[in-house]
């Protein structure tokens, strides 16, 4: 009925109509992952704002996710975040204005700058980790700690199934808004 896939070299075509199509639109892996991801991010960001960083918004999470204590280029951060270098440059500039990062010339490439985390940035990252742990605990309260551990293990395995061989350019992974 909803099974789809390959039978040898023959591809099976599935046409869904009405309620089946609507259910599939609402309850498919991609949509569920997307909704959980966005909800998780909103919750973690709420906790981070609650911890004294009300100026942060969802776009800033791209910087938080890609900051490295040892330093990183804006190009590398943008690639890891799946956003343009220009967008990451603007976000990093905002973090620099807030005192969370400092920029220094890249000794390996005169056209590049290295983004390093300041003491205030380390504090922010520490609180960010706490916010993520609180958001995870919220999920654990609903599904149970053991099931959360299983979910994390399953998602880590699933991540292996979709990368790196199937890796598309970062721009192909931009988040859809629905």
């Amino acid at each position: 009925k909803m099974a789809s896939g390959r039978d040898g070299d023959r591809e099976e075509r599935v046409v869904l109509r009405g309620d089946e199509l609507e259910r599939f639109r609402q309850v498919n892996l991609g949509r569920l992952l997307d909704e959980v991801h966005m909800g998780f991010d909103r919750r973690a960001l709420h906790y981070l704002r609650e911890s004294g960083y009300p100026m942060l918004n969802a776009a800033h999470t791209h910087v938080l996710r890609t900051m490295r204590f040892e330093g990183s280029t804006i190009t590398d951060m943008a690639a890891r975040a799946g956003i343009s270098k220009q967008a990451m440059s603007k976000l990093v500039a905002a973090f620099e204005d807030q005192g969370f990062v400092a920029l220094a010339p890249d000794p390996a490439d005169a056209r590049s700058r290295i983004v390093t985390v300041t003491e205030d940035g380390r504090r922010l990252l520490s609180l960010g980790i706490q916010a993520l742990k609180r958001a995870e605990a919220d999920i654990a309260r609903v599904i149970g700690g053991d099931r959360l551990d299983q979910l994390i293990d399953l998602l880590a395995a699933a991540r292996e199934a979709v990368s790196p061989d199937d890796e598309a350019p970062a721009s192909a992974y931009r988040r859809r808004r629905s």
Side-chain angles (χ1 to χ4, degrees):
K1 191 174 185 177
M2 284 188 57
S4 160
R6 297 200 176 264
D7 182 25
D9 287 334
R10 216 175 90 225
E11 186 175 326
E12 194 178 317
R13 298 209 184 266
V14 176
V15 178
L16 301 176
R17 290 188 171 79
D19 291 344
E20 284 181 324
L21 179 57
E22 189 53 33
R23 172 153 170 68
F24 184 74
R25 282 183 177 146
Q26 297 301 316
V27 186
N28 68 72
L29 182 60
R31 182 170 187 136
L32 292 170
L33 289 171
D34 220 19
E35 288 177 1
V36 170
H37 174 231
M38 290 187 303
F40 182 83
D41 276 0
R42 278 192 305 272
R43 188 165 292 235
L45 186 58
H46 166 77
Y47 290 140
L48 199 49
R49 287 176 177 159
E50 204 176 68
S51 297
Y53 295 92
M55 77 294 281
L56 296 180
N57 64 44
H60 293 125
T61 63
H62 292 303
V63 179
L64 291 171
R65 278 194 187 104
T66 59
M67 288 168 60
R68 299 287 186 259
F69 287 115
E70 66 278 4
S72 188
T73 65
I74 289 174
T75 302
D76 290 341
M77 292 171 69
R80 283 194 302 271
I83 63 174
S84 70
K85 288 186 282 188
Q86 293 81 4
M88 183 58 77
S89 291
K90 287 180 183 179
L91 293 169
V92 166
F95 266 53
E96 184 181 30
D97 290 346
Q98 293 290 325
F100 301 135
V101 298
L103 296 171
D106 183 348
D109 181 356
R111 298 166 299 167
S112 239
R113 295 183 297 167
I114 300 290
V115 180
T116 58
V117 181
T118 64
E119 231 10 80
D120 286 344
R122 289 178 188 277
R123 205 169 9 270
L124 174 62
L125 284 174
S126 177
L127 289 169
I129 291 167
Q130 290 174 30
L132 292 173
K133 288 182 180 286
R134 284 180 69 187
E136 281 186 1
D138 292 344
I139 293 172
R141 277 193 288 284
V142 173
I143 68 171
D146 289 344
R147 290 177 74 193
L148 176 62
D149 292 341
Q150 287 177 323
L151 178 60
I152 290 169
D153 290 344
L154 289 168
L155 290 172
R159 179 176 54 193
E160 293 300 316
V162 296
S163 65
D165 295 315
D166 297 328
E167 198 164 40
S171 61
Y173 290 114
R174 288 209 175 112
R175 186 181 300 173
R176 303 179 261 116
R177 303 270 182 217
S178 54

